Amino acid sequence: MLDNQKVLILNYSYEPLQFCTAKRGIIMVLSGRAEKIETNGYVVRSPNFSFPLPTVIRVLKMVRRNRRNRGKGVAFSKKNIMRRDNYTCQYCGVREKLLTVDHIIPKSRGGETNWMNVVVACKPCNLKKGNRTAVEAGMALNKKPFRPSFHYHSFVIPSASPEHLESWYKYLPPSLRARNVFN
Ligand SMILES: [Zn+2]
């Protein structure tokens, strides 16, 4: 059971860092490297051990990340577009394997290949939109595309119970609160 449950790790500054297994999260708390921030009411029990299952923990020492990239932002790549958009079609909200990237204003129409004009789309939406702009096709975007300012590594939101998702929600950047995950 512990391996299926995920814990959101926050930096000392409360900025989300990554998800880990509940087991690792509990070890971090017990070893004094992190503190419990949120629990969901479950208690982990074994013969000589009982511990409220955390859903969110916070490290007690600031973790410095990707210093090299600071200021420069995240590299523009298909992989990072997928991460930014949380592997979710920005038109219909589907999360599936057959995702591609879509130019909101098609390349053939002068659309640029950059953070503001490229979003994740499923194959059917991409096909349906064809050579039209999103506006022409009457296809609304889930959210406005943006240039991400931090690394999205590890930021696929794991599947979890609604209570777990709820407890993570307020700590995650708005870009990750995908419509289909949180409602
Ligand atoms: Zn779609």
Side-chain angles (χ1 to χ4, degrees), residues 5-6 20 31 33 35 41 58 65 70 84 91 98 101 103 110 117 137 142-143 164 170 177:
Q5 305 275 358
K6 295 283 190 239
C20 69
S31 65
R33 283 185 290 146
E35 65 173 359
R58 172 189 175 227
R65 297 177 308 161
R70 191 164 292 164
R84 180 195 66 180
Y91 295 109
L98 285 174
V101 292
H103 283 72
N117 193 46
N142 274 0
K143 62 177 192 288
H164 256 68
K170 63 182 170 214
R177 299 174 195 164

Side-chain angles (χ1 to χ4, degrees), residues 88-96 98-102 119-128:
T88 303
C89 173
Q90 294 301 292
Y91 295 109
C92 72
V94 83
R95 296 182 95 188
E96 53 160 69
L98 285 174
L99 293 172
T100 181
V101 292
D102 177 70
V119 293
V120 170
C122 68
K123 289 266 160 77
C125 283
N126 187 246
L127 215 65
K128 180 176 150 204

Side-chain angles (χ1 to χ4, degrees), residues 74-90 99-104 112-121 143 145-148 150 152 155 175-176:
V74 177
F76 181 76
S77 67
K78 185 173 176 185
K79 203 167 163 188
N80 282 335
I81 293 163
M82 291 286 177
R83 285 173 175 163
R84 180 195 66 180
D85 293 344
N86 201 26
Y87 301 84
T88 303
C89 173
Q90 294 301 292
L99 293 172
T100 181
V101 292
D102 177 70
H103 283 72
I104 301 167
E112 289 179 30
T113 302
N114 60 29
W115 287 116
M116 309 313 285
N117 193 46
V118 174
V119 293
V120 170
K143 62 177 192 288
F146 63 99
R147 174 187 298 276
F150 69 88
Y152 280 74
F155 257 104
S175 59
L176 288 173

